[in-house]
Amino acid sequence: MRSRFDRPQSPLDRRAFLRALGLSGLGLALPHRLVSDPYSPLGATLGLDGISARTLRPTGRPVRVAGRVAGGGRGLPGVGVTDGLQVVSTDAEGRFELATTEDRGFVGLSLPSGYRVPLNSTGTARLYRPIEADRRGEATVEFALEPLRASDENHSLLLLADVQTQTRQEMEWFHEQTVPDVQATVRALGGEIVGIADGDIMYDRLELYDEYERAVEKMGVPFFQCVGNHDLDQENPTDAGSTLTFQRRFGPRYYSFNRGAVHYVVLDDVFWYGDGYIGYLGEDQLTWLASDLALVEPGAPVIVATHIPAMGGAYIRYDEAKPRIGSAITNREALYRLLEPYQAHVLTGHTHESEHIWEGGVHEHVSGTVCGAWWSGPICWDGCPSGYSVYEMRGEEVTWRYKSTGHADGHQMRLYPPGSDPTAPSEVVANIWNWDRDWTVDWFADGTRMGRMSQRMGLDPLSVELHTGPDLPPRREWVDPRPTLHLFYAPVTPGTREVRVEATDRFGRRYSEVLRLS
């Protein structure tokens, strides 16, 4: 559905919109509950009562950055270059200038389509250079890009949500289970492929980043990184300081790039207040995003990867009035407004479950996770298998599927016999984890088509078996079954020998599973 805001018509309108929202003041820079006291550790720790958000931002000495973006030996015009706040375009010869400050940290490039992703030695993307000024306050930055050998109009994206390894044993499982599965997917896809680790790459143990980078090398495709709430320096009392380790490893915490006809944006929506976090997009980030998107043709596909869902649907399933502030972006209306002119998809993780949400004119994909329910077993707490999402782009057309780790591509559902759900003792249950509103789900009894299955909210029976009880699951006793809306039910007549469920996704792909009852 469309947002209640009118569509912006120009970059100037975007700037006016941001000003109207009060981005330069405390009201949007710190969410209402942070202002009204519940997150008082920020003010109490630093003694910042009454000081505006802009005052909190450190200032650095002025720096003039001059540089050039070249590809195949020639300057590339119209390429976006940024300090994370302003975005400038290269001129006809690929040159640019930025008047910035040293504390901005990096100069970043919005990689144009048709060029290879520049890499760190570990295989992670390097679209940035540190701002290193001389004594006169001047810096030179050069980006030399290599043209791809073939067009990237057709390309693929692998989205790995919540790798979330806390121990070396869990990192070994990631290497032993996920990495070979990704390698097989890469071989099957062929062509241009990129990956995004969509936050919570770590589970607070940031010293394990080395092993994540080793996995990236083995997977063999360029990987971009997104900040999650478990990727932070949690001993730091400020949001700005909480991503220092992440930035030393991977560069800026938000940025963009292009593949084919698709514009990709990676955001940091985790606001750390010193004793916890909320979902929130800060002033600088929204200001940058408005300028970044101003260079994108209206109507183009835009894919935004961010860790915490923009909205998610957990609050609906728990019959709550609105999303919890740690499970959704509190100022998501600003994001929706900026994305309105585009075919926008927002890809998220964080909640360890699978769902699709339409709100504010965007399609939000909440992906199942690499770690499942925190490496406690083979599934997330909604019954979705451990795995990752695969997106394939053909020009402006975007298709997707979920890839369950250790299973064939066609593994898209799990069937349960009557009695598996005590609330529906005579009904077969199907969990179809990547279901969305444009799927159809039919069932057959002993070869006879019986019609559509009934969608209802419930608990996945395998999750109930593996996660219910004070000692289950053994490694994460706090994991419990989570209500989900991707369950389907059908009443079975006594004496039925076989039930087949056939699900057809929005792209016309059919998936079928058979349950033998006798």
Side-chain angles (χ1 to χ4, degrees):
M1 60 180 286
R2 286 181 54 81
S3 165
R4 63 178 179 269
F5 296 107
D6 294 330
R7 175 175 294 188
Q9 300 298 317
S10 69
L12 180 61
D13 290 337
R14 292 172 185 274
R15 289 191 290 271
F17 160 66
L18 292 170
R19 286 196 300 270
L21 285 178
L23 284 178
S24 63
L26 188 60
L28 189 55
L30 296 178
H32 63 93
R33 291 194 63 184
L34 187 55
V35 172
S36 62
D37 186 55
Y39 300 105
S40 57
L42 179 66
T45 301
L46 302 180
L48 300 174
D49 294 343
I51 299 179
S52 73
R54 185 165 294 279
T55 308
L56 299 180
R57 190 180 307 118
T59 57
R61 65 171 177 146
V63 176
R64 175 183 170 272
V65 181
R68 185 169 183 257
V69 179
R74 63 182 181 86
L76 298 179
V79 177
V81 179
T82 182
D83 63 354
L85 185 61
Q86 59 187 312
V87 178
V88 299
S89 295
T90 55
D91 66 14
E93 297 180 345
R95 300 190 182 281
F96 67 89
E97 285 192 7
L98 270 172
T100 184
T101 54
E102 209 164 33
D103 60 281
R104 297 306 307 172
F106 301 98
V107 171
L109 168 80
S110 187
L111 179 70
S113 298
Y115 292 88
R116 192 177 303 279
V117 179
L119 300 177
N120 292 303
S121 61
T122 58
T124 56
R126 184 179 175 86
L127 306 183
Y128 58 91
R129 299 288 186 272
I131 297 175
E132 296 175 337
D134 61 21
R135 287 180 297 178
R136 296 175 300 170
E138 296 187 355
T140 301
V141 171
E142 302 283 340
F143 292 98
L145 304 178
E146 179 184 348
L148 291 168
R149 294 181 179 178
S151 171
D152 56 2
E153 281 296 300
N154 297 342
H155 66 277
S156 303
L157 165 69
L158 307 179
L159 186 92
L160 275 60
D162 299 76
V163 174
Q164 203 154 353
T165 50
Q166 188 179 39
T167 67
R168 295 203 173 271
Q169 175 64 74
E170 291 169 3
M171 186 59 80
E172 287 180 18
W173 289 335
F174 175 53
H175 278 265
E176 294 168 358
Q177 299 170 21
T178 307
V179 170
D181 198 288
V182 170
Q183 290 171 329
T185 297
V186 168
R187 289 192 296 269
L189 288 170
E192 177 68 9
I193 306 170
V194 295
I196 296 178
D198 201 21
D200 282 3
I201 305 168
M202 297 292 104
Y203 194 171
D204 304 332
R205 294 280 303 279
L206 306 190
E207 67 270 21
L208 294 177
Y209 273 138
D210 284 337
E211 288 299 305
Y212 162 74
E213 291 173 318
R214 190 167 67 87
V216 167
E217 288 186 82
K218 292 163 66 176
M219 289 186 285
V221 297
F223 257 81
F224 298 86
Q225 284 63 229
C226 176
V227 177
N229 52 288
H230 288 287
D231 296 319
L232 305 179
D233 298 297
Q234 295 185 6
E235 72 283 357
N236 198 294
T238 69
D239 183 58
S242 68
T243 55
L244 292 177
T245 296
F246 181 93
Q247 292 185 73
R248 279 194 295 269
R249 290 278 183 172
F250 308 119
R253 56 194 179 89
Y254 54 89
Y255 50 92
S256 69
F257 61 96
N258 299 274
R259 298 284 82 183
V262 183
H263 185 68
Y264 291 88
V265 177
V266 177
L267 298 178
D268 170 15
D269 64 357
V270 181
F271 182 91
W272 178 255
Y273 59 84
D275 193 32
Y277 66 91
I278 63 174
Y280 181 69
L281 296 171
E283 170 192 358
D284 285 6
Q285 197 166 180
L286 287 172
T287 302
W288 165 81
L289 182 59
S291 297
D292 176 77
L293 291 175
L295 300 180
V296 180
E297 188 73 23
V302 172
I303 291 180
V304 177
T306 192
H307 181 61
I308 296 175
M311 189 176 77
Y315 78 103
I316 298 172
R317 289 178 270 117
Y318 283 99
D319 196 27
E320 296 172 342
K322 57 185 178 181
R324 299 177 186 179
I325 59 176
S327 300
I329 300 175
T330 56
N331 57 341
R332 58 188 169 274
E333 292 291 350
L335 177 63
Y336 293 155
R337 173 67 186 270
L338 293 175
L339 293 176
E340 272 193 337
Y342 309 101
Q343 302 176 47
H345 298 264
V346 176
L347 316 185
T348 70
H350 186 57
T351 57
H352 296 251
E353 57 196 345
S354 177
E355 63 179 344
H356 293 264
I357 302 293
W358 282 264
E359 181 67 23
V362 307
H363 178 179
E364 180 175 350
H365 308 233
V366 182
S367 179
T369 59
V370 169
C371 71
W374 296 268
W375 297 104
S376 65
I379 61 172
C380 303
W381 47 12
D382 68 338
C384 174
S386 306
Y388 51 95
S389 295
V390 179
Y391 294 81
E392 295 181 68
M393 290 68 176
R394 300 294 178 263
E396 293 193 351
E397 180 186 6
V398 181
T399 64
W400 56 87
R401 58 185 166 86
Y402 187 74
K403 177 63 177 71
S404 302
T405 304
H407 294 274
D409 289 346
H411 182 61
Q412 298 292 326
M413 71 179 84
R414 187 185 306 110
L415 306 185
Y416 299 98
S420 298
D421 183 344
T423 70
S426 64
E427 295 183 89
V428 165
V429 183
N431 188 338
I432 306 175
W433 38 82
N434 201 33
W435 171 87
D436 67 49
R437 64 189 185 185
D438 288 330
W439 285 52
T440 60
V441 182
D442 299 307
W443 71 291
F444 301 76
D446 294 331
T448 300
R449 185 181 184 280
M450 305 301 292
R452 296 286 164 83
M453 297 185 77
S454 173
Q455 180 207 3
R456 298 205 297 272
M457 186 170 68
L459 302 178
D460 174 75
L462 181 58
S463 180
V464 171
E465 176 186 342
L466 297 179
H467 301 152
T468 302
D471 300 323
L472 293 176
R475 301 184 68 254
R476 308 286 190 204
E477 294 89 349
W478 41 267
V479 170
D480 290 314
R482 194 173 181 101
T484 180
L485 287 169
H486 48 70
L487 296 182
F488 294 80
Y489 293 79
V492 177
T493 303
T496 300
R497 295 186 302 276
E498 180 182 281
V499 169
R500 180 167 67 88
V501 174
E502 183 178 277
T504 304
D505 71 13
R506 60 168 48 227
F507 308 112
R509 297 177 297 209
R510 293 185 178 180
Y511 307 104
S512 182
E513 292 288 343
V514 172
L515 179 67
R516 290 180 174 82
L517 302 178
S518 62

